[in-house]
Amino acid sequence: MKQLKAASLITAIKTPYHSNGDIDLPTYDKLIAEQIAAGVDGIIVGGTTGEGHLLSWEEHLMLIAHSVHQYGEKLIIVGNTGSNNTREAIKATENGFAMGMDAALQINPYYGRTSTAGVIEHFKRVLAIGPAFIYNVPGRTGQDLTPDIIEPLAELENFIGVKECAGNERIAYYEKKGIACWSGNDDESHDGRHQFGSHGVISVTSNIVPGLMRKLMDEKNDSLNGEMNGLMKWLFCEPNPIAINTALMMTNAVSANFRLPYQALTLEQRQQGFALLSELSQSDIVGDTLQLLSDDDFTYSPA
């Protein structure tokens, strides 16, 4: 638990695909190598950014097992085994820990929302299995995990902390109570870390500039944070992971293959991203080139 709480930069790693839509493991390994080289502490496997919701459970658990086997000695491996179905979340979480993951990422039931009492019981059941981060992202679940839900759960043995998307004031409130928080909003994460006391960030942006995100977590750097703010906001110009997928394709870090329903950013949006990425040193960017790409360069396969 001490090692988990010491992790200040965890990347919600992208899942790359071949043109037929299958997972591209060799490219996945290259992405992980970039994370390790930049000093990232851990990865979330199959999170929102990794499109766990577009993976079958067989694919999802294979990716967790592969990550543990290949990188378990170098990175903290957090498997996104949450679900809006409690039985499904329990089974996936049991399987993830059997495969050796260090922790789970758990989300509150979405779409088929339940009562506060139901949310708490859902988390109690999955927290009984092993260490877990709880993910609060009201924009995706339609339900805010407020302190009256989180504070009782924080007393449980396997509660690590919260990936919190409700802002830095909420993070400061929890941290003052001894509840560990990681920012879920990249553009707020520097201030969250150095002004509001967060433990760090679970980041999308670190997929493409892991070294720069490492710097933002390690020391207060208002200048660098300001320089990166435009990129971080652009990466959320459409629902995540559309922009980070497009960006990694533009840098040739991954092949330009999407699983539907995600589609590439528009040409105008890509031009904006191209300009922002062009301002950075090539050595800071994951990928070996920077190109605008045309609409015809992208392929799309069903999930």
Side-chain angles (χ1 to χ4, degrees), residues 192-204:
R193 172 81 165 155
H194 302 292
Q195 296 181 31
F196 294 86
S198 80
H199 276 54
V201 62
I202 296 177
S203 176
V204 174

Side-chain angles (χ1 to χ4, degrees), residues 80 85 105 121 130-131 148 151 158 178 184 191-192 194 262 270 279:
N80 169 33
N85 177 334
L105 180 69
E121 189 60 28
D148 61 309
E151 289 175 18
N158 285 323
D191 291 351
H194 302 292
Y262 295 126
R270 297 199 302 274
E279 295 174 358

